[in-house]
Every structure is written in C-alpha cells, then in structure tokens.
Amino acid sequence: MSVTSENKFQTGLMLELEPVVAKELDRHLAIAKEWFPHQYVPWSIGRDYDGPMEGEAWSVEQSQVSPESRDSLIVNLLTEDNLPGYHRAIASVFGRDGAWGTWVNRWTAEENRHGIVIRDYLTVTRAVDPIALERARMHHMEAGYEATHGTEFLHGAAYVSFQELATRVAHRNTGKVSGDPVCERMLSRVAADENLHMIFYRNLIGAALEVAPNETMRAITEVVTQFEMPGTSIDGFMRKSVVIANAGIYDLRLHHDDVLVPVLRKLGVFDRTDLTGDGAKARDELGQFMEQLDAAATKFETRREERRARKAARQG
Ligand SMILES: [Fe+2]
Ligand SMILES: [Fe+2]
C-alpha cells in the first residue's frame, strides 16, 4: 500500500471502530473501581530526609524490600513516570476526537495514579535510593519515548494489548518477591488496573481482526516478533532486566505463557478461517516465532535452574 492509501485505510478502520471504543470505554468505566493512592502508603513509618529538612539521608540498610524487587520497582516506576511520552505516542495513534480521545485521557489519568502510589510508597518506606531514583527519572524522561512500532494504529493497539498484560505480570510478581505485604497489596492494586487496560486494547484489536483480518494479523505478528518492553532507555536496563528475569519477576517463560499465549488465544488467531494471502503468511510466521520463543524460554529456565543449583551447592 502507498502511504496515502495506507493512511486512508488506517483512518477508515479507526472510524469503523469508534463504536467499539465507545462501548469498551463504557464497560471500562462501569467496572473500574475508584481507589486512592494515599490509602496504600504506610505514612506512619516515614521520616525526614537530609537536605532542607535536616533529617537522615538514605542508605541501603534502611530498605526492607528484597534487592531483586528494588530493581524491578525502579524499572516499573520509571516506566509509569514516562507517561507523557506514552500519552503522546498513543494520542498520535488514536487521535483526540470522540471516544478515542476520552479513552486516551482516562487511561493517562489512571497510569499517573500508578506512578503516584509507587513513588509515595518507595519514598516513605525508604525502599530505594530517592536521589538515584530522581536522577534516573530525569535521565529517562529527557531521553523521551519513541514507539518501536511506529505510529500506525493497528500496531499501536496490538502493542499495548501485550504491554499492559506484561506490566500486570511484572507488578504482581514484583509485589510477591518484595517480601513486604504492604508493597504486595499496593502493586496488586496497580496490577488490577493494568488488567483492565489490557482487556480494553485486546477487545479493540479483536474487533479490528473482524473488520480487517489480514492487516490486523500482520500487525500482531510484527508487534509480537519485535516486542520490547518500554523502559529500554532506563539507565542500567540490561543489568536490571537480567536481575528481574533471574528472580522470575518477568522472564521469557512468563512472556510466552502469561502474556503472549493468553492474548493470542483470546483473539483466536490460530483458529481463524478468514485469513488469506499475507494474513495467512503472517499467522504462519507468528506460529514459528512462538515455537522458537517457547524453546528459548525452556533453555533460559534450564540455565537458571543450573545457576541456582550451583549457588545452593556453594552456600551449602
Ligand atoms: Fe500502569
Ligand atoms: Fe496500564
């Protein structure tokens, strides 16, 4: 397709899907429970920091959460913090008119709540170094955010379907390994929101599959095979993601089993009978990719088990 006919196609599709957005928005507003970040933060254990308040500076032994969860909490928070970048990316894909615009703004407001509650929790409990955190936030936001999937509507919608579920898994597992029930409760609350976001986008991409099966299938395949979590521009992202994977907070196995497979199954991509030409080809490519990913996940798990066993033997 030429650029103009591609644009026409995307605009036409979005117009056709606007009633779906309106319906999904209503459904979201009906089931999303109002909640308040300040109620999830243990303010009574807080005390002043150094600087103008002349309190006590942060040091690592004050942190009561596990070291793995510290890395993950930082990555998760910086990802939530970069919201203006995502808002711009999503608004430029979805536009700001009608139900699309209403959704984008609502979504942004909810994501902001996540950043608020995680930062308040981290600062009050002294879970992470607040100075390093602030410097990392500045650096990360100054780097900005450019979507790897470009500005095409189908790619954008497919990407967020998987990404929201990925953040849900990451938040929930971070809570579990944190060793702090207050942290776990707070992150479970955030994870519940991410699940609703995932459902919104997944239903949208499901409707797109009905309207334009082949093009939507191609977009899904491209997004899945090139998937990158947001946050790759965070300082030390590689090292942090290794820690996160080794701790089982987010790894290839979870990415395959708990993120990609459930969304693809719900969309029924492997059972569809309406794919032809490039759409059918895209599905075959996706099938192959999923097999390779499954094998890579198993390999990763085996290596991780071996490393853990060696470590246990050394310590035993
Ligand atoms: Fe979020
Ligand atoms: Fe979300």
Side-chain angles (χ1 to χ4, degrees):
M1 261 190 269
S2 70
V3 173
T4 24
S5 62
E6 176 68 43
N7 280 348
K8 257 193 189 153
F9 165 75
Q10 303 269 348
T11 316
L13 189 60
M14 285 184 66
L15 218 58
E16 208 168 335
L17 291 175
E18 173 147 29
V20 177
V21 175
K23 190 182 101 198
E24 290 301 318
L25 177 65
D26 285 347
R27 195 190 50 78
H28 178 85
L29 295 175
I31 53 173
K33 232 181 94 202
E34 187 185 28
W35 62 276
F36 300 94
H38 72 278
Q39 295 178 344
Y40 287 79
V41 178
W43 300 101
S44 62
I45 65 170
R47 60 187 194 279
D48 294 346
Y49 282 99
D50 54 332
M53 299 304 298
E54 297 179 356
E56 193 191 350
W58 183 84
S59 61
V60 70
E61 69 282 355
Q62 297 163 356
S63 176
Q64 297 298 312
V65 297
S66 67
E68 308 83 55
S69 69
R70 274 204 292 272
D71 276 324
S72 187
L73 279 158
I74 291 168
V75 169
N76 293 354
L77 174 55
L78 292 177
T79 305
E80 301 284 358
D81 275 341
N82 219 11
L83 187 58
Y86 312 135
H87 175 81
R88 195 196 48 179
I90 292 190
S92 65
V93 169
F94 285 2
R96 276 175 294 172
D97 301 329
W100 292 100
T102 310
W103 165 256
V104 171
N105 288 341
R106 168 76 194 202
W107 174 86
T108 304
E110 290 188 12
E111 294 295 357
N112 194 14
R113 192 180 271 165
H114 302 167
I116 291 168
V117 77
I118 299 173
R119 171 160 287 97
D120 284 350
Y121 167 83
L122 293 179
T123 309
V124 167
T125 63
R126 296 183 175 241
V128 304
D129 180 349
I131 291 178
L133 179 67
E134 177 60 7
R135 286 181 180 148
R137 186 188 68 80
M138 287 298 290
H139 192 239
H140 186 220
M141 288 191 74
E142 282 172 334
Y145 174 74
E146 236 28 89
T148 44
H149 44 76
T151 55
E152 281 166 13
F153 156 66
L154 280 176
H155 288 76
Y159 176 77
V160 281
S161 306
F162 298 108
Q163 193 266 330
E164 292 284 359
L165 187 51
T167 54
R168 178 205 190 191
V169 169
H171 282 308
R172 225 178 23 186
N173 289 340
T174 302
K176 276 191 204 153
V177 307
S178 71
D180 177 9
V182 174
C183 181
E184 187 170 1
R185 184 175 55 202
M186 180 270 291
L187 289 176
S188 297
R189 185 50 264 187
V190 172
D193 280 3
E194 310 295 19
N195 196 46
L196 292 187
H197 296 162
M198 178 277 290
I199 292 170
F200 177 94
Y201 292 122
R202 188 197 62 201
N203 290 351
L204 179 61
I205 207 77
L209 264 173
E210 295 300 319
V211 178
N214 292 323
E215 291 82 356
T216 308
M217 189 62 237
R218 173 51 71 192
I220 291 171
T221 296
E222 286 181 1
V223 162
V224 170
T225 55
Q226 295 159 29
F227 190 86
E228 247 182 20
M229 284 291 262
T232 45
S233 56
I234 291 171
D235 293 332
F237 182 77
M238 276 307 290
R239 189 198 62 76
K240 287 184 169 67
S241 48
V242 169
V243 171
I244 288 164
N246 283 336
I249 295 170
Y250 201 84
D251 59 26
L252 281 183
R253 176 52 62 208
L254 293 164
H255 184 58
H256 178 276
D257 291 7
D258 291 4
V259 175
L260 299 181
V261 168
V263 173
L264 295 173
R265 188 182 296 138
K266 191 79 187 174
L267 294 173
V269 294
F270 293 112
D271 307 315
R272 299 191 77 88
T273 52
D274 53 358
L275 297 175
T276 55
D278 187 58
K281 197 168 153 263
R283 174 168 59 192
D284 291 346
E285 288 168 28
L286 181 65
Q288 282 168 15
F289 176 83
M290 291 300 287
E291 276 173 32
Q292 288 163 7
L293 186 67
D294 193 17
T298 303
K299 208 166 153 187
F300 169 79
E301 285 178 305
T302 311
R303 289 214 189 112
R304 183 171 59 191
E305 274 317 306
E306 288 167 0
R307 269 198 307 274
R308 281 178 185 167
R310 276 200 301 273
K311 199 176 165 197
R314 271 202 308 273
Q315 286 168 351

